Amino acid sequence: MNAVASCGLPLYQFGYTVSIPLFEGEWRPSSFYERIQYNQKGGMHTLCLLDIKVKEPDYDALTKHGKVRFLPPRFMTVNVTIEQLLSVEEEKKEVK
C-alpha cells in the first residue's frame, strides 16, 4: 500500500486488494471478481495483484527422470488479466 500512497492516490479510497491467479485448464477461480465489483459499487479503487509462477516444479520431468526440475518463470501480463476478467464476466452473465 505504500506504493499506492507514493503515487499520490489516497489510501482511504481503496477497497479490498485482490489477487488474480493465472487460469490453468479447468481451474478458473473467480472470487476476485466479486471483490472488484464490490469496490466498484462503493466508488473505491481496487489494487490487483497479478500472479507469478516462479520455481514451479515440472511434474512430467519428475515422473520421467525422477529429478526435480523447474519450469521457466511466468509473469501474468495485463493483457492476460483483461482476457480473464472478460471471460469471468461472460460466465457471470450466463449464470444470471
Side-chain angles (χ1 to χ4, degrees), residues 12-15 37-45:
Y12 65 86
Q13 289 182 336
F14 273 81
Q37 279 187 317
Y38 177 85
N39 289 347
Q40 186 178 23
K41 287 176 185 173
M44 299 176 280
H45 300 295

Side-chain angles (χ1 to χ4, degrees), residues 71-83:
L71 297 169
R74 293 186 307 157
F75 302 92
M76 189 174 201
T77 64
V78 173
N79 289 342
V80 169
T81 305
I82 291 169
E83 288 172 11

Side-chain angles (χ1 to χ4, degrees), residues 5 20 29 54 95:
I20 302 178
V54 181
V95 173

